[in-house]
């Protein structure tokens, strides 16, 4: 028998005349309750009388009613596939091989997609695919989902159709007159063929190649010596001695991507490892990794290069006296003794310097230097770009078609280019965004992202890679190549054209195989010397270099933003610079001595944030005002450093408009300028994530030794196990347990190995972790408050003395509290880094301790341990007490102070529907009040186990991986199952160099490190 009882939710329902109840009855879904109308207007609220009943009705019942209605609330219908694509299985990812080259960065990639949506970049590891993704390439998937992208073509700032664009351009081309195609370096056989056909059809057309960050001097030198406009692709794995003069080859020098070969020689094997000398002005990734670093001005670097040339070739070119001359001569003698196992590189932007580099490596017969398989990723000509700007302003360009360039922003004389653009009758800019140049062009042609495009690229001579779309174009865009085909009058699609072009290159293979693999390796021959280079004359000219009258300003590209193409990418803006650990800024770096003479300061304030001075920098009459200052240990006295790529404003969210545009000081495309500096007043607030400057003698955090000691002494000497007191006796800390251990020998047990010798601090792992685990971006203000959400950080440590060994020696000699050797004053001194310190990088994430202190203090068991070695986080259990963070000795847990998803206060990619398309559906998006941290990418490990189970097999050796280990191109990180003795990580765990972080605490981590060995 049914019940006739009447149920009600609130006493308000007993009032049948209640308008609120009636509204809720008739509304199927949630509706905003009008409390804001009642309480939001301060004036109305103060003027009107309100009864207690009305107040309770709105605040009490309305809130309850909204909550109850929300429980029944909105239904979003899921629309199934009418015809499901065979290659898409819901809930299962797919990988597609592709390649990227945007004129600056390049890599061979695999793109992870879910339901046809690219969400993550992976490295292609097939033979021949030797170029791995850096931090910027890993972040490029987010740039595709940028809501500020140009969504359709525009003519004179108004939306237009592609038919209108086609018609207008064809009309302009038909009128004749000078035509210029201005592009970045293409390295694309099919596109270069299309351009050749275009210039053949229009005889007045010419092609100008422009690289925002120029390598023109090195290209000119190689072309003079070998008759080919290309760059040497060095193989540092074949060098026992590496000498670099001003070349940050672990950074962006000549395209970068050298860290893999470099790291192979830096890991000690059979008592051997390579040796690395670095001479530079700015502190760089390469300088940080070097065994011996000499801080030198550019003028001294040029003199040093000539001195080394004299020693290697037996020449007698006269040189001047320089600082560190004895050290330079020792380096020269060692390089000569190394012979074919030595190599020298230089980043000096001077053709004469680059000619000497070729001469020295030829004389050494260096195995690391080869003219076969040259790099094709830089082809720009400074002279031709300068001529183009002159021609435009003289009215000698009628039609200008641009692709992959933003000269109004990147040219030092961008204002001249903008003025010339007004004198060009028809200008077309193919661009992802309506950037500084596209906004001034007659036609802003919306270009697709590379993940939406077809293409090909020849990164090195003899290799051929394909780019394929992994998603249909999101907006109404068109490729530059498609437009060229239309203007050439070519039939068919660019896909057909690309396929036909490829057929003439991929001999012995097939289109489908190359498309599947992403790479084709063909035969390659070496470039032969033409005899056109006069090395003696180059040395004599370079020897005339003299110190600048003022400061030397060294312009460079930061690891995060590079040339600035992705300045609107929040992952990259929040990425801490590996050297300074500052995000959301560029700045001028100065030495401590120069800072004192100029009255500049840095200080850490009460909330942990870093503050600093401002300066005005003037170069050849151009002044850049209010540039913040970082006092940089290792900066050569008399020099300044400043990165390009910042200061963008066009088509950028307000939060991304940070920094200053240093390209305006890039006069004559020379990265070294003579500058004057003046303190500008004011206080700049930095977002810096590392306040500590030194290890202060804490050798158990980063353990270091020299190759000599490593070879001669037992491991107990250079990798001592910490001891603790047990029953008044010192015993190894590893033998003492606070808790009873469980049996981890059954099933899988995961460990992560980190080799400090191989880690270059590049940060690719940080961005890969962001992409895989939906790590939120919190913005500059929150980072400054030490609320960054990075699951993985790369700590950077400076030595207080000349070396870390001397730091330890100083600490060990402390005697008492006071006096010259007192620990109070001594530790205070050790907080200040040396003027030219040693540097160490250390990636730190959740250590997944087997005896985790976080697990014992959580009152709701939100964090717990698994038999596989994971330290779990149950987000639904977490109530945000933060006891776990307080109890963690590694400080790797992050607290969601706010809701970062769908929150206009944090207007980054998670705040709009397009940006959220990058989110990984296998990892939930955390809410406010929840702790989060590294999970050892549990979604990836469990997927690997399930795939093996589904296929009825055991998991293969080294099949397990996490985002950071997969992204690490240097091989510093290795992840796997220590219970599988065939796994690399199981073998690494048995190494004499293995140690755990803070081993004396007794947490028994599942992350272990390897002692850093320096060849000094």
């Amino acid at each position: 028998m049914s019940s006739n009882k009447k149920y009600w939710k609130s006493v308000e329902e007993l009032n049948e005349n209640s308008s609120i109840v009636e509204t809720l009855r008739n509304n199927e879904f949630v509706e905003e309750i009008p409390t804001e109308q009642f309480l939001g207007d301060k004036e109305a609220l103060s003027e009107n009388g309100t009864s207690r009943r009305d107040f309770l009705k709105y605040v009490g019942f309305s809130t309850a009613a909204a909550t109850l209605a929300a429980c029944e609330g909105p239904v979003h219908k899921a629309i199934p596939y009418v015809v499901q694509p065979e290659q898409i299985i819901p809930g299962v990812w797919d990988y597609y091989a592709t390649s990227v080259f945007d004129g600056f960065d390049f890599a061979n990639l695999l793109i992870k997609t879910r339901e046809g949506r690219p969400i993550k970049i992976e490295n292609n590891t097939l033979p021949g695919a030797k170029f791995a993704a850096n931090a910027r390439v890993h972040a490029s998937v987010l740039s595709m989902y940028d809501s500020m992208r140009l969504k359709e073509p525009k003519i004179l700032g108004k939306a237009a159709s592609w038919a209108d664009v086609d018609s207008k351009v064809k009309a302009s081309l038909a009128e004749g007159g000078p035509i210029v195609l201005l592009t970045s370096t293409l390295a694309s056989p099919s596109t270069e063929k299309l351009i050749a056909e275009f210039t053949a059809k229009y005889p007045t057309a010419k092609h100008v190649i422009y690289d925002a960050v120029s390598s023109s001097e090195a290209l000119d030198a190689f072309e003079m010596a070998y008759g080919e406009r290309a760059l040497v692709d060095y193989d540092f794995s074949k060098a026992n001695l590496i000498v670099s003069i001003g070349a940050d080859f672990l950074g962006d020098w000549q395209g970068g991507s050298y860290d893999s070969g470099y790291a192979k020689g830096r890991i000690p094997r059979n008592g051997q490892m390579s040796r690395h000398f670095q001479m530079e002005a700015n502190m760089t990734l390469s300088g940080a990794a070097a065994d011996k670093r000499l801080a030198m001005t550019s003028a001294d670097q040029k003199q040093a290069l000539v001195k080394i040339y004299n020693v290697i070739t037996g020449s007698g070119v006269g040189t001047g006296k320089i600082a560190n001359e004895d050290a330079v001569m020792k380096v020269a003698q060692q390089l000569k003794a190394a012979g074919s196992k030595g190599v020298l590189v230089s980043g000096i932007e001077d053709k004469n310097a680059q000619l000497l580099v070729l001469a020295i490596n030829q004389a050494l017969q260096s195995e690391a230097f080869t003219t076969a398989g040259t790099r094709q990723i830089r082809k720009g000509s400074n002279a031709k770009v300068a001529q183009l700007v002159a021609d435009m302003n003289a009215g000698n360009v009628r039609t200008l078609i641009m692709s992959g360039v933003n000269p109004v922003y990147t040219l030092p004389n961008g204002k001249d280019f903008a003025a010339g653009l007004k004198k060009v009758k028809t200008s077309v800019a193919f661009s992802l965004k309506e950037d500084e140049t596209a906004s001034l062009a007659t036609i802003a042609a919306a270009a697709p992202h590379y993940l939406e495009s077809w293409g090909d690229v020849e990164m090195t001579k003899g290799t051929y890679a394909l780019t394929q779309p992994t998603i249909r174009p999101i907006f109404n865009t068109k490729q530059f190549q498609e437009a060229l085909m239309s203007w050439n009058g070519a039939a068919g699609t660019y896909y057909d054209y690309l396929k036909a072009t490829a057929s003439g290159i991929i001999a012995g293979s097939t289109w489908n195989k190359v498309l599947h693999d992403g790479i084709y390796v063909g035969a390659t021959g070496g470039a032969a010397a033409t005899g056109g280079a006069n090395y003696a004359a180059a040395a004599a000219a370079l020897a005339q270099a003299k110190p600048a009258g003022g400061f030397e300003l060294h312009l460079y590209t930061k690891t995060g933003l590079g040339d600035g193409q992705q300045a609107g990418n929040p992952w990259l803006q929040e990425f801490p610079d590996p050297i300074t650990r500052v995000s959301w800024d560029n700045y001028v770096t100065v030495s401590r001595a120069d800072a004192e003479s100029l009255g500049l300061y840095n200080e850490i304030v009460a909330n942990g944030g870093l503050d600093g001075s401002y300066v005005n920098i003037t170069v050849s009459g151009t002044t850049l005002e209010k540039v913040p200052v970082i006092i940089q240990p290792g900066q050569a006295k008399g020099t300044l450093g400043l990165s390009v790529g910042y200061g963008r404003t066009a088509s950028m969210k307000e939060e991304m408009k940070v920094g200053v545009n240093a390209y305006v000081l890039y006069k004559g495309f020379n990265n070294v300028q003579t500058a004057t500096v003046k303190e500008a007043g004011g206080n700049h607030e930095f977002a810096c994530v590392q306040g500590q400057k030194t290890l202060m003698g804490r050798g158990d955090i980063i353990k270091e030794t020299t190759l000599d000691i490593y070879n001669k002494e037992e491991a107990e000497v250079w990798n001592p196990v910490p001891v603790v007191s047990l029953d008044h006796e010192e015993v190894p800390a590893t033998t003492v347990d606070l808790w009873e251990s469980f049996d981890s020998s059954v099933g899988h047990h995961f460990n992560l190995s980190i080799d400090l010798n191989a880690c270059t601090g590049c940060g690719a792992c940080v961005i890969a972790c962001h992409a895989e685990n939906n790590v939120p971006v919190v913005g500059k203000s929150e980072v400054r408050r030490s609320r960054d959400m990075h699951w993985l950080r790369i700590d950077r440590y400076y030595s207080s003395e000349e070396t870390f060994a001397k730091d330890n020696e100083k600490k060990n000699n402390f005697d008492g509290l006071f006096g010259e050797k007192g620990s109070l004053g001594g530790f205070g001194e050790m907080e200040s880094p040396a003027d030219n310190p040693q540097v160490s990088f250390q990636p730190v994430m959740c250590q997944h301790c087997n005896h985790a202190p976080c697990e014992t203090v959580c009152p709701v068991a939100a964090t717990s341990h698994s038999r596989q070695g994971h330290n779990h986080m149950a987000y639904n259990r977490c109530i945000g007490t933060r006891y776990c963070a307080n109890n963690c000795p590694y400080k790797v847990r992050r607290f969601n102070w706010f809701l970062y998803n769908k929150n206009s206060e944090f207007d980054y990619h998670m705040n709009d529907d397009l940006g959220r398309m990058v989110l990984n559906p296998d990892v939930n998006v955390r809410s406010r009040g929840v702790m989060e941290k590294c999970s050892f990418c549990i979604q990836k490990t469990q997927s690997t186990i399930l795939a093996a189970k589904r296929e009825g097999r055991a998991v293969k050796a080294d099949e397990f991986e996490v985002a950071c280990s997969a992204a690490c191109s240097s091989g510093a990180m290795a992840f796997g199952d220590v219970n599988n003795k065939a796994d690399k990580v199981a073998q690494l765990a048995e190494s004499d160099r293995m140690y755990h972080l803070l081993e004396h605490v007794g947490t028994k981590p599942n992350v272990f490190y390897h002692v850093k060995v320096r060849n000094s």
Side-chain angles (χ1 to χ4, degrees):
M1 184 175 177
S2 62
S3 172
N4 292 320
K5 285 184 178 179
K6 180 179 179 182
Y7 294 93
W8 43 273
K9 298 174 181 177
S10 168
V11 291
E12 189 69 22
E13 288 191 61
L14 298 179
N15 180 3
E16 294 182 358
N17 297 321
S18 172
S19 60
I20 293 178
V21 171
E22 189 64 27
T23 299
L24 289 173
R25 276 181 185 160
N26 296 328
N27 191 356
E28 181 183 0
F29 305 126
V30 179
E31 181 178 284
E32 183 179 356
I33 306 301
T35 52
E36 191 64 29
Q37 299 175 16
F38 176 69
L39 297 173
D41 191 334
K42 293 182 179 179
E43 294 183 6
L45 189 62
S46 62
E47 292 174 1
N48 295 332
T50 306
S51 69
R52 180 173 180 272
R53 176 181 173 83
D54 288 339
F55 182 84
L56 292 174
K57 179 171 68 176
Y58 277 98
V59 176
F61 170 72
S62 300
T63 306
T67 303
L68 289 167
C71 296
E72 304 166 359
V75 175
H76 297 283
K77 295 181 178 179
I79 303 174
Y81 292 109
V82 177
V83 178
Q84 181 176 324
E86 291 182 9
Q87 67 271 27
I88 293 180
I89 303 173
V92 178
W93 58 59
D94 285 311
Y95 284 98
Y96 296 92
T98 191
S99 299
V100 58
F101 178 58
D102 62 8
F104 190 74
D105 292 312
F106 55 98
N108 305 114
L109 307 175
L110 296 177
I111 309 300
K112 179 182 179 180
T113 67
R114 278 291 299 267
E115 287 77 54
R117 175 172 54 91
I119 61 172
K120 189 166 184 296
I121 305 291
E122 303 276 4
N123 290 322
N124 189 340
T125 57
L126 290 176
K130 65 178 183 176
F131 296 114
N134 59 22
R136 295 185 295 271
V137 173
H138 277 287
S140 64
V141 65
L142 180 58
S143 293
M144 183 176 69
Y145 299 120
D146 188 348
S147 59
M148 302 299 290
R149 278 181 58 185
L150 186 56
K151 299 173 178 63
E152 59 187 346
K154 292 184 177 182
I155 298 178
L156 297 176
K158 296 181 179 180
S161 68
W162 282 109
D164 293 338
V165 170
D166 213 33
S167 175
K168 189 171 183 63
V169 174
K170 283 182 176 178
S172 181
L173 295 173
E175 289 173 1
I179 302 166
V180 176
L181 291 177
L182 177 64
T183 72
S184 60
T185 299
L186 298 167
S188 168
S190 63
T191 310
E192 288 168 353
K193 184 180 176 187
L194 277 170
I195 289 176
E197 292 168 359
F198 180 88
T199 54
K201 181 178 176 69
Y202 301 100
T204 59
K206 64 179 180 179
H207 181 205
V208 176
I209 301 173
Y210 166 50
D211 295 323
V213 179
S214 176
S215 295
S216 188
E217 302 295 336
L219 291 166
D220 292 344
F222 192 83
E223 187 174 25
M224 179 180 288
Y226 292 97
E228 176 189 355
R229 197 164 183 78
L231 298 172
V232 178
D233 187 32
Y234 295 90
D235 185 354
F236 290 103
S237 68
K238 296 180 178 178
N240 290 342
L241 181 65
I242 301 165
V243 179
S244 171
I245 303 179
D248 184 16
F249 59 87
L250 295 179
D252 294 330
W253 175 76
Q254 295 188 3
S257 293
Y258 288 116
D259 51 346
S260 176
Y262 175 80
K264 289 176 184 175
R266 297 295 290 170
I267 298 174
R269 293 185 178 91
N270 302 319
Q272 300 288 323
M273 64 178 284
S274 64
R275 197 171 190 198
H276 173 193
F277 291 99
Q278 185 81 12
M279 305 175 199
E280 61 184 13
N282 295 345
M283 175 65 81
T284 66
L285 290 179
S286 302
D291 295 302
K292 180 68 176 178
R293 178 183 181 272
L294 302 175
M296 302 173 67
T297 65
S298 177
D300 279 0
Q301 289 175 36
K302 291 176 180 179
Q303 294 289 339
L305 183 57
V306 178
K307 291 175 188 292
I308 294 173
Y309 169 80
N310 284 341
V311 172
I312 301 299
T313 63
S315 302
V317 179
T319 58
K321 190 77 174 174
I322 62 172
N324 299 304
E325 178 145 2
D326 290 343
V328 170
M329 297 309 295
K330 288 179 181 178
V331 169
Q333 294 297 339
Q334 290 184 38
L335 184 61
K336 184 175 183 179
S340 63
K341 289 295 182 180
V343 67
L344 181 141
V345 294
S346 177
I348 299 172
E349 287 299 315
D350 184 299
K351 186 167 74 171
N352 293 319
Q354 295 302 322
L355 283 170
L356 293 196
V357 172
L358 301 177
I360 289 169
N361 287 311
Q362 285 173 1
L364 291 171
Q365 296 183 326
S366 172
E367 294 176 19
F369 171 92
T370 174
T371 58
T374 51
R375 290 192 171 196
Q376 305 294 305
I377 45 85
R378 298 287 186 271
K379 293 288 183 72
S381 169
N382 296 344
K384 290 181 179 180
V385 173
Q387 185 59 50
L388 171 62
V389 176
D391 289 344
M392 289 167 62
N393 280 282
N396 294 332
V397 178
R398 184 180 184 86
T399 306
L400 176 65
I401 301 169
M402 297 170 281
S403 176
V405 295
N406 184 9
V408 172
Y409 165 69
T410 58
L411 275 175
N413 56 338
K415 290 183 179 178
D416 293 341
F417 188 93
L421 207 56
K422 295 177 182 177
K423 299 179 181 179
V424 175
K425 182 177 181 182
T426 304
S427 55
V428 186
F430 282 85
S431 176
L432 276 174
K433 290 187 170 188
E434 196 171 2
D435 57 28
E436 289 79 1
T437 301
S439 60
L440 297 178
T442 310
I443 300 170
H449 192 268
Y450 77 89
L451 293 176
E452 304 169 310
S453 309
W454 285 103
D456 57 358
V457 60
E458 186 183 31
M459 300 176 193
T460 59
K461 209 167 189 179
T463 64
Y464 182 72
L466 289 175
T467 298
Q468 64 172 316
T470 56
I471 188 174
R472 289 179 63 85
I474 299 173
F475 303 117
N476 181 20
T477 56
K478 179 181 279 192
Q479 285 190 237
F480 173 59
Q481 293 88 344
E482 293 179 63
L484 277 179
M485 288 184 69
S486 173
W487 303 333
N488 288 349
T493 65
Y494 177 54
Y495 170 80
D496 298 326
Y497 189 93
L498 177 65
K499 196 172 179 180
T501 304
S503 65
I505 298 173
I506 55 174
S509 188
T510 65
W511 168 262
N512 284 344
K513 177 170 172 52
V514 176
L515 191 62
H516 174 271
D517 295 348
I519 188 74
Y520 167 81
V521 180
T524 179
T530 62
N534 188 337
Y535 299 124
L542 197 65
Q544 302 305 311
K546 291 182 174 56
F551 281 95
E552 276 186 7
L553 174 64
H554 290 250
L555 299 169
Y556 67 100
T557 56
K558 276 180 73 172
T559 306
L561 285 198
D563 65 348
Q565 289 187 57
Q566 295 191 78
N569 190 310
W571 284 349
L572 294 176
Q573 286 284 7
E574 193 144 299
F575 172 76
D577 181 74
I579 300 295
T580 64
R581 308 293 285 136
V582 172
S583 58
W584 293 99
D585 255 320
N586 67 337
Y587 34 76
V588 60
T589 56
V590 301
S591 69
R592 180 168 56 180
D594 290 331
E596 289 173 356
S597 67
L598 292 169
L600 309 177
Y601 71 90
N602 279 154
E603 64 179 4
I604 297 175
V605 294
N607 68 353
L610 180 71
D611 288 1
S613 306
Y614 286 109
V615 294
N616 296 335
I617 304 175
T618 302
V619 173
S620 300
T622 301
T623 299
L624 206 54
E625 298 183 345
K626 303 292 282 188
V627 186
V629 170
I630 288 287
I631 299 173
Q632 177 60 57
Q635 185 78 32
K637 189 178 179 181
T639 69
L640 310 169
L642 180 61
S643 68
V644 296
Y646 286 79
R648 298 216 22 208
T649 56
S651 292
M652 302 275 287
K653 287 186 176 181
E654 197 63 34
E655 293 81 357
M656 307 295 169
K657 298 177 182 178
V658 296
V660 296
N661 181 10
Y663 277 116
V664 299
L665 305 181
Y666 192 30
K667 306 289 186 179
F669 302 97
N670 196 324
N671 63 342
V672 179
Q673 301 287 335
T674 301
T676 56
V677 182
K678 185 178 180 182
E679 197 270 336
N683 180 70
H684 184 79
E685 297 183 344
F686 290 101
C688 182
V689 298
Q690 180 163 318
Q692 65 267 34
K693 302 298 184 189
T694 73
L695 276 172
M696 293 179 67
R698 291 170 290 186
D700 56 344
I701 296 177
I702 289 185
K703 292 188 178 183
E704 289 203 356
T705 189
T706 64
L707 184 63
D708 186 53
I709 295 173
Y710 174 76
N711 287 334
K712 291 179 180 179
E713 303 289 349
E714 295 295 324
E716 290 79 9
V717 174
W718 47 265
N719 187 17
V721 176
V723 294
V724 295
S725 178
L726 180 66
D727 296 331
H728 305 290
E729 292 185 8
E730 287 190 342
V731 298
T734 52
T735 65
V736 179
D737 289 336
L738 294 178
W739 298 276
E740 184 179 342
S741 297
F742 59 84
D743 183 9
S744 62
S745 63
V746 179
H748 304 294
H749 193 80
F750 299 116
N751 272 202
L752 176 64
S753 167
I754 301 175
D755 196 325
L756 300 180
N757 261 54
C759 179
T760 63
C762 71
C765 54
V766 175
I767 302 298
C769 177
H770 261 65
E772 178 66 34
N773 296 297
N774 301 335
V775 177
V777 172
V778 300
K780 180 177 181 178
S781 177
E782 292 300 296
V783 172
R784 180 172 166 81
R785 291 180 173 90
S786 302
R787 293 176 179 174
D788 61 290
M789 294 300 295
H790 298 100
W791 283 13
L792 162 63
R793 70 175 190 263
I794 302 180
D795 290 338
R796 179 269 301 129
Y797 294 105
Y798 295 137
S799 64
S800 176
E801 301 296 313
E802 186 180 338
T803 66
F804 285 111
K806 291 185 178 180
D807 277 8
N808 290 332
E809 183 180 331
K810 181 175 183 177
K811 182 198 70 171
N812 293 334
N813 287 331
F814 286 158
D815 184 10
L817 293 175
F818 305 100
E820 292 184 5
K821 292 188 177 181
S823 60
L824 288 179
F827 277 120
E829 292 173 5
M830 292 182 76
E831 291 180 354
S832 299
D835 288 335
N836 186 24
Q838 280 189 343
V839 185
S840 282
F841 296 110
Q842 184 176 55
V844 181
M845 67 293 292
C846 174
Q847 303 290 291
H848 293 271
C849 308
N850 289 311
H851 292 170
C854 56
E855 295 169 10
T856 59
V857 295
C858 182
V860 291
T863 180
S864 58
H865 211 72
S866 78
R867 297 188 71 88
Q868 294 180 347
H870 288 94
N871 175 245
H872 289 305
M873 268 301 306
Y875 299 128
N876 279 2
R877 278 181 171 270
C878 181
I879 58 173
T881 64
R882 291 181 285 154
Y883 295 161
C884 56
N886 291 335
N887 220 36
C888 174
Y890 308 104
K891 301 306 172 192
V892 289
R893 288 177 166 260
R894 302 287 178 256
F895 182 66
N896 282 268
W897 290 91
F898 301 99
L899 178 66
Y900 303 115
N901 180 37
K902 299 182 182 178
N903 187 343
S904 59
E905 293 295 320
F906 301 92
D907 191 18
Y908 310 109
H909 67 289
M910 286 189 182
N911 191 44
D912 59 72
D913 290 337
L914 184 62
R916 282 193 294 273
M917 285 180 70
V918 82
L919 296 179
N920 183 358
D922 290 332
V923 181
N924 72 324
V925 177
R926 285 74 63 186
S927 187
R928 180 184 179 184
V930 170
M931 294 297 305
E932 60 180 76
K933 50 102 197 161
C934 163
S935 67
F936 261 1
C937 292
I938 190 170
Q939 69 279 3
K940 291 174 74 69
T941 58
Q942 298 312 299
S943 174
T944 302
I945 293 170
L946 291 173
K949 187 179 292 185
R950 188 170 57 247
E951 296 167 14
R953 60 174 177 82
V955 177
K956 301 171 187 174
D958 296 325
E959 188 174 355
F960 288 113
E961 65 177 16
V962 287
C964 54
S965 67
C968 184
S969 55
S970 67
M973 292 182 175
F975 179 83
D977 179 6
V978 289
N979 288 341
N980 182 353
K981 298 308 176 185
D983 260 24
K984 181 181 179 182
V985 75
Q987 298 161 26
L988 290 169
E990 302 299 321
S991 169
D992 287 343
R993 289 200 296 132
M994 188 277 286
Y995 75 98
H996 292 105
L997 194 58
L998 302 181
E999 202 154 29
H1000 60 275
V1001 178
T1003 54
K1004 299 195 178 301
N1006 283 314
V1007 178
F1008 58 85
Y1009 296 82
H1010 292 266
V1011 174
K1012 186 176 181 70
V1013 181
R1014 293 187 187 268
N1015 192 357
S1016 57

